Amino acid sequence: MNRTMGAALAATRWLLPFACAASAAPAFAFQIYTVGADAGCRFTSIQAAIDAAAASPGEDYVWIANNQIYSGQHIVIQDQDVIVEGGLTDCSQDKPTSVTTLHGSTSRVFDIRGTSNVELAYLGISGGTVGDGDYGGGIRFGGSGSLTLIDTSVVGNLAGYGGGVAVQPSGAAQLTLLGSYVTLNEASHDGGGVWLGGGTTLYSDARTQIFANDTADAAGGRGGAMFIGGPATAYVTSSVHDNTAGFGGAIYTYGEVAVNLYSSDASSQVSVSRNKAAGDGGAVYLYARTTAATLCAQDFALDANSARNGTAIMTDGPHANVRFNDPTNPCVPSGWPYPPVACTSGPGCNEIADNVSQFADGTPADGATIRIGTSGGNTGAMWASRFAARRNTGGSVVYTYYDAPPASGVLTTALHDCVIADNTASWYSIASTGDQANTVLVVDNCAVTNESQPPGDVFLIYGHVSFIELTNSILYNPGLYALHFASEVGTLLAQYDLLNDANGVPGTGVVAGVPSFVDAAHGDYHLQPYSAGVDVAPDDVTIDVRDDLDGHPRVVDLPAVANAYGPLDLGAYEVQSSCVAADTIFCDGFEGS
């Protein structure tokens, strides 16, 4: 079996249920069914080859040559384990050199049913069309088992739901995208590129791109790239960009869904960028009114998306939970065959940047970049660490709203080791409102600075909750107040903070001062070694995050700097050495990597 896809097949099989089951056929006892126009081809019809393979026990190959045109395709696979691979020059070849395009017309191109495990490789699947109420213009997987796309493009297909691919499983199902493109597909309603039903697990790798898909219903369509219905889980390490929808420009979830965004390639972090929603949720929309929905992101980028509200993230309902870089609850299970890697520290890594709040016609709106809407009965809202929010435009960068006290537990918005800078906000940079019992806002080891907000009584942080913790942070924005705690019955804990305005913010180690950033004019908010804010706070062994935004050790005691209360630096970055150099990049912490 001299096939380039052998390694990918072996990796994929680690996940597939059928790989673990006993098989009546001996190992590697497969048949090859060739399709094409030359004398060496056994079949001229793909469906005929599929049907012949169905009569052979075990897993088989269908190899497709490029020496004829494949139009009007409607290929049915029923209760089969089969690998369909194109890209052959003719039927004497055993290694793909290109891609074979399969054109649909008035039906979907692939219709996969029953208990099937199917791989499609080196194919272009285009022109499939089904009706306004139907699913899967290019591919519909309607049974149980698995569907894997390897170096395959799903382009220009139409359906009511899942313009490119729809998974409507009858049992447990898995969709795996390896080095594939899903693009220029359209759904009348939901899931322009991909529609996933309950019981599905999705994995898409770093070489895959899902882009330029849309929902024709610009006002109400959901999920330009992906609609995910629960219960389902998605592991996305791909680029998801330039998709459009009414809600959830890139990803829309409904029901009990877990979306995991993480990087599997250090040089190309997972990114959700330049997506657009006419309504809310430019990048990701979690609908969680009755069941839990989770967005877990680590080593990621959410950039240049637009929507009316929640330009990067929108949650709707009491059961949404958003986590960034949570060391105690990672996005990827141990032993996962596509392991996470840290993205390269620097621009784009762990960034939420350049997102814009606007109406469908492009006029400015005052929605938040991250909008967490919660109500009674839920157990969590947002826990985020090691991220930077830069150059976003709208009402607030982070806005959480609690409209009722939790039925049990505590509702927490917690921000750790973050930079919130260079944003244009019409309201407050961070706002948490509701004034309900057991509602908490935590801002720890963050730098909020260089924000553009309208003149007047405007604050960087506004809290109308029962408890605020502001610790080890830098709030420096001359002309704006640092903090407004509006709750009449709540508690404020402020410790070891450097503020441009310390009035009304009592606490141990809370001082007014000016930080010396390495290069604030160009967005570098590392501290100079002898800046105010270096070696100020105690090394608290209970702190939630032990690494700074760069991933460097959080507590470094500089011998040349006297400790105020301890060795911990304020803000998002820990100075890694006390060197003094003309080129300050050698003193900003990067030399420690």
Side-chain angles (χ1 to χ4, degrees):
M1 185 172 63
N2 180 22
R3 307 298 287 173
T4 58
M5 66 183 293
L9 173 59
T12 303
R13 278 192 167 185
W14 190 97
L15 298 171
L16 304 183
F18 79 86
C20 300
S23 173
F28 304 108
F30 58 88
Q31 299 293 321
I32 299 172
Y33 302 86
T34 54
V35 181
D38 63 276
C41 303
R42 296 176 60 184
F43 300 91
T44 58
S45 160
I46 298 172
Q47 185 66 66
I50 293 288
D51 293 343
S56 171
E59 185 177 69
D60 299 300
Y61 284 92
V62 172
W63 291 357
I64 306 172
N66 274 338
N67 52 17
Q68 69 177 12
I69 295 173
Y70 301 93
S71 59
Q73 296 295 307
H74 176 62
I75 302 162
V76 178
I77 299 174
Q78 176 82 42
D79 295 310
Q80 283 182 257
D81 294 346
V82 63
I83 297 169
V84 182
E85 183 173 330
L88 305 178
T89 302
D90 55 51
C91 288
S92 67
Q93 301 294 311
D94 68 350
K95 184 176 182 179
T97 58
S98 61
V99 170
T100 300
T101 299
L102 311 182
H103 296 278
S105 57
T106 57
S107 62
R108 63 182 59 89
V109 180
F110 278 95
D111 194 350
I112 303 169
R113 308 168 183 171
T115 301
S116 297
N117 297 283
V118 177
E119 292 189 13
L120 306 177
Y122 303 100
L123 297 175
I125 298 168
S126 69
T129 303
V130 297
D132 183 72
D134 207 346
Y135 292 76
I139 306 169
R140 177 183 176 271
F141 188 95
S144 62
S146 64
L147 170 63
T148 302
L149 273 58
I150 301 174
D151 294 298
T152 289
S153 297
V154 182
V155 182
N157 301 281
L158 302 173
Y161 304 87
V165 182
V167 179
Q168 287 182 289
S170 59
Q174 179 176 297
L175 172 63
T176 303
L177 306 176
L178 303 175
S180 295
Y181 286 177
V182 180
T183 182
L184 296 173
N185 302 286
E186 182 175 275
S188 305
H189 305 293
D190 301 332
V194 177
W195 190 97
L196 301 180
T200 304
T201 299
L202 166 71
Y203 172 78
S204 63
D205 75 346
R207 294 190 302 120
T208 292
Q209 295 189 47
I210 305 173
F211 66 100
N213 304 283
D214 69 85
T215 61
D217 183 357
R222 301 173 296 179
M226 288 183 271
F227 175 94
I228 307 174
T233 302
Y235 297 95
V236 179
T237 75
S238 311
S239 174
V240 183
H241 62 91
D242 295 289
N243 302 281
T244 60
F247 296 89
I251 301 170
Y252 188 100
T253 76
Y254 186 94
E256 187 176 353
V257 174
V259 176
N260 302 280
L261 304 177
Y262 73 96
S263 292
S264 57
D265 182 341
S267 64
S268 178
Q269 72 272 1
V270 60
S271 65
V272 184
S273 61
R274 300 191 304 276
N275 302 284
K276 182 177 181 180
D280 302 330
V284 180
Y285 193 121
L286 301 181
Y287 184 92
R289 292 189 180 180
T290 58
T291 54
T294 300
L295 171 65
C296 182
Q298 61 189 61
D299 299 294
F300 66 98
L302 300 174
D303 294 339
N305 303 285
S306 66
R308 178 181 59 192
N309 202 356
T311 57
I313 299 170
M314 178 78 181
T315 74
D316 180 1
H319 303 284
N321 197 325
V322 174
R323 306 195 316 272
F324 299 160
N325 294 315
D326 184 348
T328 64
N329 198 357
C331 300
V332 184
S334 176
W336 190 247
Y338 308 98
V341 299
C343 58
T344 304
S345 183
C349 180
N350 288 311
E351 273 203 354
I352 301 169
D354 301 305
N355 300 285
V356 177
S357 174
Q358 62 184 22
F359 293 104
D361 62 4
T363 58
D366 61 358
T369 305
I370 300 172
R371 168 64 159 83
I372 309 295
T374 65
S375 62
N378 62 317
T379 58
M382 181 176 182
W383 193 101
S385 74
R386 300 185 53 239
F387 73 98
R390 306 174 186 268
R391 301 181 304 278
N392 301 286
T393 302
S396 292
V397 178
V398 178
Y399 176 73
T400 58
Y401 174 69
Y402 308 117
D403 68 359
S408 63
V410 176
L411 295 172
T412 300
T413 301
L415 312 177
H416 300 270
D417 291 84
C418 68
V419 168
I420 296 178
D422 306 309
N423 302 286
T424 300
S426 60
W427 204 34
Y428 312 109
S429 296
I430 302 170
S432 192
T433 67
D435 199 26
Q436 304 296 333
N438 297 321
T439 54
V440 174
L441 171 65
V442 174
V443 179
D444 174 62
N445 267 120
C446 288
V448 185
T449 187
N450 205 27
E451 297 283 86
S452 176
Q453 294 176 214
D457 293 336
V458 179
F459 302 86
L460 292 175
I461 300 177
Y462 176 91
H464 197 244
V465 290
S466 64
F467 179 77
I468 289 183
E469 177 183 321
L470 177 64
T471 51
N472 311 324
S473 292
I474 298 171
L475 276 60
Y476 184 75
N477 220 103
L480 298 177
Y481 296 104
L483 171 68
H484 180 58
F485 186 33
S487 176
E488 297 179 357
V489 295
T491 301
L492 168 65
L493 172 64
Q495 291 182 313
Y496 317 113
D497 299 306
L498 178 63
L499 315 176
N500 62 270
D501 162 41
N503 293 329
V505 186
T508 302
V510 178
V511 299
V514 179
S516 296
F517 295 119
V518 167
D519 190 359
H522 294 92
D524 188 343
Y525 295 104
H526 294 80
L527 291 174
Q528 298 278 7
Y530 299 112
S531 170
V534 174
D535 284 9
V536 168
D539 178 7
D540 184 351
V541 295
T542 65
I543 61 176
D544 294 291
V545 182
R546 303 303 299 186
D547 295 325
D548 70 0
L549 179 50
D550 285 332
H552 293 151
R554 179 24 96 181
V555 182
V556 176
D557 192 358
L558 303 184
V561 179
N563 294 343
Y565 297 91
L568 178 69
D569 295 349
L570 309 185
Y573 304 102
E574 187 81 8
V575 178
Q576 300 294 302
S577 85
S578 56
C579 74
V580 177
D583 185 354
T584 56
I585 193 165
F586 293 105
C587 294
D588 66 4
F590 287 107
E591 80 287 352
S593 60

